[in-house]
Amino acid sequence: MNNTLQDGSGQMFDRICERYDFLNRVMSLGIDGRWRKRAVQALGSDVGYVLDLATGTADVAIEVARRIPNSRVLGLDPSDGMLRVGQRKVEKAGLANRVTFKKGDGQRIAASDDAFDAAIMAFGIRNVARRERCLRELGRVVRPGGPVVVLELSEPRGGHPLAFGAGLWKRYVVPRLGSALSSTPEYAYLERSIRAFPRPDEFLELMATCGLRGGKAEPLTFGAATLFTARAP
Ligand SMILES: C[S@@+](CC[C@H](N)C(=O)[O-])C[C@H]1O[C@@H](n2cnc3c(N)ncnc32)[C@H](O)[C@@H]1O
């Protein structure tokens, strides 16, 4: 069974797009919003044009536009359904003049070299089959030295009882609750794909191999998510 969406077509996300935000809030107990805010902070304030890769329903794109004055965001995603929901939210937030969308694949980003001041990708890299190619693309389209921020779910770590609890929640509750609430089996995939994702130190190595400089990994909520920050070559 594959743990990534091999074709980057976003078909799985087309099926769950209308329930995606609700399911996220329930299954992360509302913590996912805090993680995205932390990731957007890591971009700094000195960025104008930002790529939100795997933008999905645009929570990160909206946060960037709200928090970083004068920023403009391009949200890129292969799923028509997720982009449709994202567009709706951006219009409702009155940000349609600063957040635009494009259908596309992170493994072949349709943008010229150094087109963006920064890039961010939240909970997306796990779904990409050729991660190395995607990371190289992020380094290519961001201007030299610009921030590249990747937020991803990970295996909770450490001896704290809450880390243990978070591990159990993710392994046993998330797939069942997700499948029940969404009436699809897609959420079993979520648990498998987190388990199959490289450890933070391994992922940092991959970022470095792809030319991204000064990589750092910060565990969030006992390592239930990890924030990776680096700079474009
Ligand atoms: C779990 S969602 C994350 C959405 C959003 N960033 C968020 O914070 O909620 C993963 C997204 O990755 C997208 N995706 C899947 N394959 C992709 C690819 N090859 N390139 C870019 N995005 C991809 C999916 O369509 C989906 O919208």
Side-chain angles (χ1 to χ4, degrees), residues 192-216:
R192 276 199 314 274
S193 69
I194 299 171
R195 237 182 311 145
F197 193 69
R199 286 197 323 260
D201 55 327
E202 293 168 343
F203 190 70
L204 277 179
E205 246 178 76
L206 185 65
M207 287 179 105
T209 306
C210 297
L212 298 171
R213 298 192 280 108
K216 289 195 180 68

Side-chain angles (χ1 to χ4, degrees), residues 6-228:
Q6 297 298 331
D7 61 358
S9 65
Q11 278 172 6
M12 180 188 110
F13 289 95
D14 281 340
R15 288 196 290 276
I16 59 172
C17 61
E18 295 292 342
R19 282 156 294 175
Y20 175 80
D21 287 352
F22 166 70
L23 291 166
N24 262 351
R25 296 304 101 83
V26 174
M27 287 188 302
S28 78
L29 303 173
I31 298 171
D32 60 314
R34 287 222 303 268
W35 292 339
R36 288 191 191 83
K37 281 194 170 74
R38 179 74 199 83
V40 169
Q41 276 168 8
L43 289 172
S45 51
D46 189 22
V47 287
Y49 192 28
V50 178
L51 170 66
D52 177 24
L53 185 57
T55 190
T57 58
D59 277 355
V60 165
I62 290 171
E63 182 68 17
V64 171
R66 282 194 175 136
R67 302 290 154 214
I68 307 179
N70 304 321
S71 60
R72 287 177 304 119
V73 188
L74 178 70
L76 199 91
D77 200 287
S79 161
D80 288 315
M82 296 290 267
L83 289 176
R84 191 178 60 239
V85 176
Q87 178 70 44
R88 215 158 58 207
K89 284 164 66 180
V90 160
E91 280 167 18
K92 203 167 162 204
L95 292 168
N97 55 340
R98 292 176 48 214
V99 180
T100 52
F101 297 99
K102 197 164 163 178
K103 182 172 175 168
D105 181 351
Q107 299 161 125
R108 300 179 288 274
I109 300 175
S112 54
D113 297 358
D114 309 339
F116 300 93
D117 296 307
I120 185 164
M121 184 176 198
F123 312 120
I125 190 75
R126 197 169 20 96
N127 303 298
V128 174
R130 282 168 292 176
R131 292 186 189 127
E132 191 174 323
R133 194 156 164 180
C134 181
L135 291 174
R136 284 189 194 282
E137 279 290 84
L138 285 173
R140 179 183 70 76
V141 299
V142 173
R143 65 167 162 77
V148 174
V149 171
V150 176
L151 175 65
E152 195 44 271
L153 295 170
S154 43
E155 291 282 359
R157 289 179 297 280
H160 197 288
L162 286 177
F164 183 66
L168 292 180
W169 175 265
K170 183 186 66 65
R171 179 157 296 191
Y172 298 108
V173 182
V174 165
R176 289 174 178 79
L177 190 65
S179 298
L181 292 176
S182 67
S183 320
T184 68
E186 316 298 6
Y187 278 82
Y189 151 84
L190 179 66
E191 209 286 312
R192 276 199 314 274
S193 69
I194 299 171
R195 237 182 311 145
F197 193 69
R199 286 197 323 260
D201 55 327
E202 293 168 343
F203 190 70
L204 277 179
E205 246 178 76
L206 185 65
M207 287 179 105
T209 306
C210 297
L212 298 171
R213 298 192 280 108
K216 289 195 180 68
E218 181 189 337
L220 306 176
T221 319
F222 308 106
T226 303
L227 178 64
F228 299 94

